[in-house]
Amino acid sequence: MLRGNFHTHTIFCDGRNTAQEMAERAVEIGFTHLGFSGHMDSEIRMELKEYNKEISRLQKTFRGRLDILRGAELDVLFQPRDEEEAGLLEQMEYLIGSVHYVQGADGNFFAVDDTAERLTEGCREHFGGDYYRLARAYYDLEAQVCDRLHCTFIGHFDLITRFNDDLHYLDESDPRYYGPALEAMEYLISKDIPFEINCGAYNRGRKAELYPNRFLLKNLQEFGGELLINSDAHQKELLDGGFDHAVRTAIDCGFTHTNFLEHGPDGKIVFRQVPLDGELFS
Ligand SMILES: [Zn+2]
Ligand SMILES: [Zn+2]
């Protein structure tokens, strides 16, 4: 199996377990790498001082057994509340760039992944119920994550499809949907930023597919994009949830390796290629 995860939530945001419980579980299941990535967005924000202190403590406690990385999952619309918070964010070792909210013309925003009701209501109010216009607005924001956030990799690229299995509001094979998605993808690849395969919704049984869907993943591979495979775990039992499925899917889509983040010899975070082959299933 893959022995690392770089998209991990704890009770510092909306996760169920403490950071220590997550790290202990990681060691238990044979992980060598664990990246914490608490939410910083318009509705959930961590107390960064406490978070940084605790993750630094765990880095020391687990040194030699588990390479722990201190990161955050930033939403593209996130604004630090003051200079102190902005400064603490700069101390993060890596950042995930995600889009969870879309803004209407009046500047108000709504979550695309919270509840189906919020999504439906937001789309009706701000986009006249036209989900293809909403998808265009979503991918316009997605294209900006790298420039706005200077992030390390892209989180759940097509989160806009969060409720699509149930509600069928977008035909994902319609060019009106995938056109803007591919434009955003090409632009982000031109910035040399990797994409994650995110197993979050798949793990919680809320979606049959991973993010990004297979069609987008194939395109990512053809465009020469790079991958990380992450569980988006909100509880320790799901730390490696969906990894086998994600690895098989990545191989099916033509990928021959994924990437880990780790501390390089000078302490800075570097990418390491991890081959995708049979060994991962042992
Ligand atoms: Zn997210
Ligand atoms: Zn997340």
Side-chain angles (χ1 to χ4, degrees):
M1 69 159 204
L2 275 183
R3 301 185 188 283
N5 177 53
F6 305 91
H7 193 148
T8 312
H9 297 284
T10 67
I11 54 168
F12 280 106
C13 54
D14 59 349
R16 282 196 211 157
N17 293 101
T18 63
Q20 169 140 2
E21 286 165 348
M22 291 305 241
E24 282 165 359
R25 172 72 181 171
V27 171
E28 233 174 79
I29 60 177
F31 271 19
T32 52
H33 296 68
L34 179 65
F36 287 103
S37 60
H39 285 289
M40 294 300 278
D41 62 45
S42 312
E43 292 175 317
I44 312 174
R45 67 203 309 151
M46 302 184 290
E47 279 313 319
L48 289 181
K49 242 189 207 161
E50 291 305 307
Y51 176 73
N52 286 357
K53 210 170 108 189
E54 175 63 0
I55 306 303
S56 301
R57 183 185 75 80
L58 293 173
Q59 287 178 323
K60 288 191 195 100
T61 309
F62 286 84
R63 187 165 290 157
R65 287 187 288 159
L66 183 66
D67 190 3
I68 293 181
L69 296 88
R70 192 179 66 243
E73 181 182 9
L74 284 192
D75 186 84
V76 70
L77 299 177
F78 177 76
Q79 296 286 349
R81 69 181 152 217
D82 52 30
E83 275 180 28
E84 191 194 7
E85 194 176 60
L88 287 164
L89 262 183
E90 273 170 27
Q91 293 174 26
M92 292 301 157
E93 295 179 308
Y94 76 99
L95 294 172
I96 307 178
S98 295
V99 179
H100 306 97
Y101 302 90
V102 171
Q103 231 164 358
D106 60 1
N108 288 327
F109 58 83
F110 60 96
V112 299
D113 67 328
D114 182 16
T115 63
E117 291 70 34
R118 263 187 103 180
L119 173 73
T120 312
E121 177 60 24
C123 183
R124 194 187 55 72
E125 196 181 323
H126 297 286
F127 296 92
D130 183 341
Y131 284 90
Y132 293 97
R133 264 180 64 211
L134 167 62
R136 159 66 69 184
Y138 172 88
Y139 283 113
D140 282 352
L141 275 175
E142 192 65 61
Q144 295 172 45
V145 287
C146 189
D147 293 332
R148 284 206 197 190
L149 306 173
H150 308 291
C151 48
T152 316
F153 64 88
I154 305 292
H156 45 59
F157 179 69
D158 55 351
L159 186 68
I160 185 72
T161 63
R162 167 75 173 74
F163 302 104
N164 210 30
D165 280 2
D166 297 331
L167 302 181
H168 311 292
Y169 45 87
L170 288 164
D171 175 355
E172 293 176 50
S173 67
D174 187 322
R176 285 179 299 162
Y177 168 72
Y178 70 71
L182 293 181
E183 270 173 45
M185 180 179 277
E186 269 193 280
Y187 179 73
L188 291 167
I189 290 171
S190 79
K191 300 269 164 182
D192 262 343
I193 185 157
F195 288 58
E196 71 170 1
I197 292 184
N198 180 303
C199 310
Y202 172 79
N203 277 335
R204 282 171 268 169
R206 289 176 183 157
K207 231 175 158 278
E209 273 270 18
L210 305 157
Y211 303 114
N213 74 19
R214 207 170 261 262
F215 170 81
L216 293 173
L217 265 181
K218 276 204 176 115
N219 278 278
L220 181 69
Q221 195 275 332
E222 279 163 22
F223 291 152
E226 287 286 332
L227 272 192
L228 282 88
I229 292 176
N230 291 321
S231 62
D232 199 352
H234 285 69
Q235 62 190 88
K236 62 181 184 176
E237 293 78 11
L238 293 178
L239 207 45
D240 60 347
F243 276 9
D244 279 0
H245 180 54
V247 167
R248 282 176 215 276
T249 304
I251 292 172
D252 280 355
C253 291
F255 286 95
T256 54
H257 68 268
T258 180
N259 292 277
F260 271 14
L261 293 170
E262 65 185 17
H263 288 93
D266 61 356
K268 292 223 174 77
I269 300 300
V270 293
F271 283 104
R272 181 159 68 86
Q273 288 194 1
V274 177
L276 291 172
D277 54 32
E279 266 175 51
L280 291 170
F281 297 107
S282 62

